[in-house]
């Protein structure tokens, strides 16, 4: 069931609306240094399966639907992390991303849950059948999270060349309005940008904001369709590019 404070929609959802139960990591576990040491090594936290096996109480399953995303109902309670993978087997080789996440959580004590793909989706080619079904479902609907919650954009020099990080940035800078998806006003911004590695001077963060903070749904689709926007799995673009127009229509 839904976590207290993450309430179901107050009206009947329209045809086609579905709820997805996502895995989140409890922010309290990430804030606690002793708790982090249980699993943390030189390369940060391990994948979802290891957390589920060794520290299952870190995981909280929350039900989320499109109407909650449109209402931005998860803002302030749930933090969704956008980041680049630094290695096919480990997105955070030196624990720098983890450090930035913890810093953000310490500055924002109201946040209760964190979604970070490596920790919240089953990883690897040896996924069990149930994990594989959940992985595909969650990945197909992760746009709801980036639209409906607070977002931490962890930016490095490769961020601007990748489909997922640009798509997530655009979603995080949108508001659901009567006119559809619209660029969020300064008062309604849900995204926080932090730079790492060679982007630590914040130049890349400003570029990301300039690129996406004013884009319409149509413009976002055009940019993300470009051949210079790289994606490891071409099917990800095939799934999510059509969702941009569908999200805008649903919001309207």
């Amino acid at each position: 069931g839904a976590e207290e404070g993450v309430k179901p929609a107050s009206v009947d959802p329209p045809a086609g609306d579905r709820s997805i139960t996502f895995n989140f990591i409890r922010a309290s576990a990430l804030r606690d240094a002793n708790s982090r040491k249980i699993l943390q090594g030189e390369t940060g936290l391990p994948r979802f399966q290891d957390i589920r096996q060794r520290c299952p109480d870190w995981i909280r399953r929350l039900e989320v639907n499109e109407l909650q995303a449109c209402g931005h109902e998860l803002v302030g309670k749930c933090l969704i992390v956008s980041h680049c993978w630094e290695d096919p087997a480990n997105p955070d080789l030196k624990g720098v991303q983890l450090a930035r996440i913890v810093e953000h959580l310490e500055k924002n004590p109201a946040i209760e849950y964190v979604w970070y793909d490596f920790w919240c989706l089953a990883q690897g080619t040896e996924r069990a059948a149930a994990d594989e079904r959940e992985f595909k479902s969650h990945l197909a609907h992760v746009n709801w999270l980036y639209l409906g919650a607070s977002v931490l954009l962890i930016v490095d020099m490769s961020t601007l060349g990748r489909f997922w990080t640009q798509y997530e940035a655009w979603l995080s800078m949108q508001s659901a309005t009567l006119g559809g998806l619209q660029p969020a006003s300064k008062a309604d911004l849900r995204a926080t940008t932090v730079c790492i590695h060679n982007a630590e001077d914040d130049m890349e963060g400003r570029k990301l904001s300039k690129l996406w903070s004013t884009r319409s749904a149509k413009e976002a689709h055009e940019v993300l369709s470009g051949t210079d926007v790289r994606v490891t799995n071409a099917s990800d673009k095939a799934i999510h590019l059509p969702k941009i127009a569908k999200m805008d229509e649903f919001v309207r």
Side-chain angles (χ1 to χ4, degrees):
E3 172 73 297
E4 182 180 354
V6 183
K7 299 177 181 178
S10 58
V11 296
D12 292 334
D17 179 62
R18 292 187 299 170
S19 292
I20 303 293
T21 302
F22 291 94
N23 302 306
F24 287 81
I25 298 297
R26 295 181 184 274
S28 58
L30 296 171
R31 289 190 183 98
D32 185 87
N34 291 327
S35 183
R36 290 199 306 274
K37 288 178 181 178
I38 296 174
L39 294 177
Q40 184 181 357
E42 293 182 358
T43 57
L45 296 185
R47 60 184 188 167
F48 171 73
Q49 293 99 311
D50 298 323
I51 296 174
R52 180 173 59 187
Q53 180 179 5
R54 299 173 61 185
C55 294
D57 59 316
W58 284 26
I59 299 171
R60 179 65 185 183
R61 291 172 63 81
L62 302 180
E63 189 176 304
V64 181
N65 63 43
E66 289 171 315
L67 295 182
Q68 288 174 312
C70 289
H72 308 302
E73 293 184 25
L74 308 181
V75 173
K77 186 182 185 74
C78 296
L79 180 70
I80 317 302
V81 182
S82 174
H83 65 102
C84 292
W85 280 58
E86 298 174 0
D87 182 87
N90 192 323
D92 187 20
L93 291 173
K94 296 183 178 180
V96 175
Q97 295 180 24
L98 172 61
R100 295 296 185 272
I101 293 169
V102 172
E103 288 173 6
H104 187 78
L105 293 177
E106 290 175 345
K107 294 176 182 177
N108 297 272
I111 294 172
E112 296 184 35
Y113 305 106
V114 176
W115 191 92
Y116 178 98
D117 53 6
F118 191 60
W119 306 337
C120 298
L121 292 172
Q123 303 295 318
T125 58
E126 75 284 2
R127 285 187 292 260
D131 282 339
E132 181 67 20
R133 289 192 298 270
E134 184 173 84
F135 179 91
K136 291 180 178 179
S137 175
H138 288 194
L139 201 63
H141 296 93
V142 72
N143 52 299
W144 299 359
L145 299 182
Y146 286 92
L147 180 62
S150 299
V151 179
L152 182 64
L153 303 171
I154 300 179
V155 178
D156 65 21
M157 294 292 285
S158 65
T159 296
L160 288 171
R162 300 192 185 187
F163 171 77
W164 275 110
T165 47
Q166 293 191 75
Y167 177 50
E168 292 159 359
W170 176 73
L171 287 169
S172 75
M173 297 177 192
Q174 295 295 298
S175 286
T177 74
L178 293 176
L181 291 173
Q182 299 286 341
S185 66
K186 288 185 178 180
D188 293 329
L189 284 177
R190 298 174 290 104
T192 301
T193 301
V194 296
C195 294
I196 61 173
H197 304 318
N198 291 320
E200 286 186 325
D201 62 0
D202 199 40
M203 180 175 65
E204 295 301 306
R206 291 195 298 271
K207 286 182 181 178
L208 189 68
S209 178
K210 183 178 180 180
L211 178 61
W212 293 113
S213 62
T214 62
R215 298 276 183 179
S216 66
K218 181 179 179 180
E219 291 169 335
H221 187 280
E222 291 175 354
V223 173
L224 293 170
S225 299
T227 56
D228 58 341
V229 179
R230 301 189 305 276
V231 66
T232 301
N233 298 311
S235 61
D236 291 346
K237 273 195 177 186
I239 291 171
H240 280 275
L241 284 174
K243 283 181 176 288
I244 293 175
K246 290 180 181 178
M247 282 190 295
D248 189 51
E249 180 182 355
F250 181 84
V251 169
R252 292 173 188 274

